[in-house]
Amino acid sequence: MSRSSGGGLKYISPDGWSPRLIRRSYCALTLSAITVAICIVQSLIGWKSVLNAIGFVPSAAWSPSTWFSILPGQSIPVVLTWLAYVFPHMGWWHMAGNTAMLLMVGGKLEHRIGTRNFAVVALLSIVSGVFALSIIHPLGSFPIGGGSLLLCNIFGVRLAMYYQTGWQRHPRATIALELAAIVLVVLWLLCRTTPLAPSAFLALMWHVIPLMIGWVGYRVVHAVQARKGNAE
């Protein structure tokens, strides 16, 4: 069902997207604006130099003694890099792709759950992305940056929302598939040889885990809210 105004279609379906949603995506717009501003600075003083200054170092995540220290070559303490890393990128195309997806997918999610809830999801996604990547690449000693870990987590939440009818109809099968996926990832982590350098497969896996976190996170929150609703 749609309605028109001024001769044009104005209806936005519950699962659709429209550029007009961007105007109400305050958190997604803010994150995108900061990303663009940082990338302008990068283009002026060097893409890699800014990334090295505020990107996060995977191995530092497992060294609590360094969390409040500034690593050589960096400009801010380790704990602040867990937030700042999401803004610097390695080129305009890298930044443009991530920003466009943040506005489209993140903007839609913000429209669905509200700006305050989306801000919480974004914050948890950014920080959990650090530890997800650090689990995959624990010996990484070079700074990492970009918004893809945030995006993967948001994608996971959106997928869980999109397929909600399916997993509500088949709860046991869904839990079985989720447990199988988690067990496979854990077995791979336990059986592999810890890599010294990143690879294409490693990059794939450190994007898969944030997606899984987003999916499971939404499912857990939904289950808690359902129980509260039943109790009331």
Side-chain angles (χ1 to χ4, degrees):
M1 180 177 178
S2 63
R3 55 188 176 88
S4 61
S5 175
L9 293 176
K10 300 298 182 181
Y11 176 78
I12 302 173
S13 69
D15 292 312
W17 182 85
S18 166
R20 292 181 296 126
L21 288 178
I22 294 177
R23 292 180 298 178
R24 298 190 295 273
S25 305
Y26 305 112
C27 186
L29 274 172
T30 300
L31 292 172
S32 299
I34 296 174
T35 299
V36 172
I38 293 293
C39 287
I40 291 173
V41 174
Q42 287 186 274
S43 69
L44 296 174
I45 67 176
W47 294 91
K48 199 166 185 178
S49 61
V50 175
L51 177 61
N52 289 339
I54 63 176
F56 81 90
V57 177
S59 59
W62 305 116
S63 301
S65 61
T66 68
W67 287 356
F68 298 97
S69 303
I70 298 177
L71 300 180
Q74 297 207 293
S75 301
I76 56 178
V78 168
V79 291
L80 293 184
T81 66
W82 297 351
L83 301 175
Y85 81 91
V86 76
F87 301 115
H89 288 72
M90 284 305 294
W92 285 110
W93 285 111
H94 184 206
M95 181 278 294
N98 282 344
T99 302
M101 295 308 296
L102 175 60
L103 290 173
M104 292 177 65
V105 182
K108 180 59 182 176
L109 179 61
E110 183 174 348
H111 177 66
R112 290 284 298 274
I113 68 176
T115 296
R116 184 178 298 179
N117 289 334
F118 181 80
V120 173
V121 169
L123 178 62
L124 294 176
S125 299
I126 290 169
V127 176
S128 66
V130 170
F131 289 92
L133 194 152
S134 299
I135 289 172
I136 297 293
H137 191 31
L139 301 181
S141 57
F142 296 101
I144 302 292
S148 58
L149 300 179
L150 166 62
L151 286 175
C152 287
N153 203 300
I154 290 175
F155 272 122
V157 174
R158 286 293 293 133
L159 284 173
M161 294 174 72
Y162 185 80
Y163 289 106
Q164 183 166 327
T165 301
W167 51 256
Q168 285 180 324
R169 289 179 178 174
H170 309 285
R172 292 183 180 179
T174 301
I175 292 174
L177 288 173
E178 290 169 342
L179 290 176
I182 293 171
V183 168
L184 285 174
V185 170
V186 170
L187 287 176
W188 171 70
L189 289 170
L190 293 175
C191 298
R192 68 174 182 156
T193 300
T194 304
L196 297 175
S199 63
F201 182 74
L202 209 63
L204 172 66
M205 290 304 297
W206 74 46
H207 288 78
V208 166
I209 291 181
L211 189 146
M212 292 172 60
I213 291 173
W215 171 284
V216 173
Y218 177 79
R219 294 254 293 132
V220 169
V221 170
H222 182 273
V224 171
Q225 291 178 339
R227 285 193 175 185
K228 286 184 177 179
N230 292 334
E232 293 173 357

